Amino acid sequence: MRAFLAVFGLSLAASASRAQNSPIRPPDSTAITIHAAHMFDGRGVKEDVLVTVRAGRIERVDTNVGPRGGSATRDLGAATLLPGLIDAHVHPGWYINRRGALHGRDDDTPAQSALARAGNLYATLMAGFTTIQSLGGPEDLDLRDAVARWQIPGPRILTSIIQISDSALSADSLRSIVRALKVRGADVIKLFASAGLGAGGQQTFSNAKLEAICGEAKAQGLRSVVHAISAASVRAATLAGCTEIEHGTFATKSELALMASHGTIFDPQVCLVFQNYIDHRDVYSRSGFTPQSFDALANAIPVATAMFKQAIATAGLKVIFGTDAVALAHGRNADELFCRVRAGQRPLDALASATSAAAAALGLGDRLGQIAAGYDADLIAVRGDPTRDIAAIRNVVFVMRGGVAFAVP
Ligand SMILES: [Zn+2]
């Protein structure tokens, strides 16, 4: 009896300490069943579904369940169930400081910065995004860990920690930066192959240095994601064997075809990253943006939209979803999906780009981006049917990450 009590006492203490270690209750082995009238499973549409979740994973998926749906732990009624959305390009570290301007170095206390960033993660999660790739800031490591330890609500984070942009460095120095980032725990390498949009987007790193960075990343088992605005920089990054190209604003038919033939993943943006600055002109004017900056952003929207139309018409090109969300765009990520559909993408293709295709691009295609047995229980539901009307993607009514449901305000 004493032995029994000792064992019993010990297990109680162990479970109590687990609960105390994380304010958000982690998933356990209790089965949760979720019923919804419609489902986009990451690839296609199914009806009248019952998804069983246990210990953070999807255990099984039944379709056309009929009256069995009524006994679900959570009945989402007429809503559409989807895999948690994935944004392959965000900056959760960017926020507006207490003076109403884009934060800079040292203008807030570390706690103020951390809280603002936790707020960005919360807004992103509540918008239905359960995984983000941050490209990237040093604060990401702590944010990634806090989310993974169920300390704060947020999407799963993959991070590049820094952005490699100093084209004066030697190829050897660049290779050693990549190796050091691997040691620090980077999930991905981010580099700038070109200047920014306002500066014309001309190529910065030489072809040889691009090969050094992307080649070393590959040797370290890391993907390389490249900021490239001009056509020449897109071409150079593709030929250097980099994994993924961001923006590609001035890419032409020939660079798009080149990316397709090299299997290079493409993450273009058509509106949110431009529109967000324009919508918050006051804040960004206080943050160093000039009238010329806003003109360049406004002018970029039709250019990026025309390029995007050509990208989705390019045979074999893997187009994924990423917003480049910065301060005040966190939580608005789905606006970019809306713009992509308005630019001519089919809603199903837009949704796949932000689920199954993005997961595959992040090297997590066997765990994320689909609603299927064995996948992580990252599930969202929206009112209406976004496979018919993409605007429904903004009406998030349910969010679950890793088997934990978060209250939607
Ligand atoms: Zn960015």
Side-chain angles (χ1 to χ4, degrees), residues 105-123:
R105 212 180 270 272
D106 303 329
D107 47 26
D108 281 332
T109 66
Q112 285 163 342
S113 297
L115 290 165
R117 288 162 174 158
N120 287 342
L121 295 180
Y122 176 73

Side-chain angles (χ1 to χ4, degrees), residues 51-61 364-378:
V51 177
T52 306
V53 169
R54 195 190 298 270
R57 292 287 183 89
I58 297 169
E59 192 170 73
R60 58 179 292 160
V61 179
L364 295 168
D366 57 348
R367 266 186 59 193
L368 302 178
Q370 292 185 56
I371 301 178
Y375 276 71
D376 283 25
D378 287 9

Side-chain angles (χ1 to χ4, degrees), residues 89-91 135 163 190 247 324 326:
H89 188 160
V90 296
H91 297 283
L135 301 174
Q163 314 192 21
K190 165 77 185 291
H247 315 307
D324 200 4
V326 295

Side-chain angles (χ1 to χ4, degrees), residues 89-91 94 133-136 163 190 192 227 246-247 269 273 277 323-326:
H89 188 160
V90 296
H91 297 283
W94 285 44
Q133 177 165 259
S134 175
L135 301 174
Q163 314 192 21
K190 165 77 185 291
F192 271 66
H227 164 107
E246 291 296 321
H247 315 307
Q269 293 81 32
V273 65
Y277 292 118
T323 61
D324 200 4
V326 295

Side-chain angles (χ1 to χ4, degrees), residues 63-90:
T63 55
N64 304 308
V65 294
R68 275 200 294 148
S71 62
T73 319
R74 200 179 281 254
D75 192 349
L76 296 167
T80 302
L81 197 62
L82 302 100
L85 301 172
I86 299 171
D87 190 330
H89 188 160
V90 296

Side-chain angles (χ1 to χ4, degrees), residues 8-57:
F8 187 64
L10 193 71
S11 74
L12 271 185
S15 70
S17 79
R18 263 203 302 279
Q20 277 160 10
N21 284 344
S22 28
I24 297 165
R25 197 173 140 202
D28 60 28
S29 58
T30 314
I32 305 164
T33 50
I34 300 156
H35 175 250
H38 312 283
M39 172 170 83
F40 171 73
D41 68 2
R43 295 175 180 279
V45 175
K46 309 242 165 75
E47 301 299 326
D48 192 20
V49 297
L50 189 66
V51 177
T52 306
V53 169
R54 195 190 298 270
R57 292 287 183 89

Side-chain angles (χ1 to χ4, degrees), residues 337-350:
L337 276 176
F338 185 83
C339 292
R340 288 185 181 200
V341 170
R342 197 175 55 192
Q345 192 171 33
R346 295 191 318 149
L348 269 180
D349 292 340

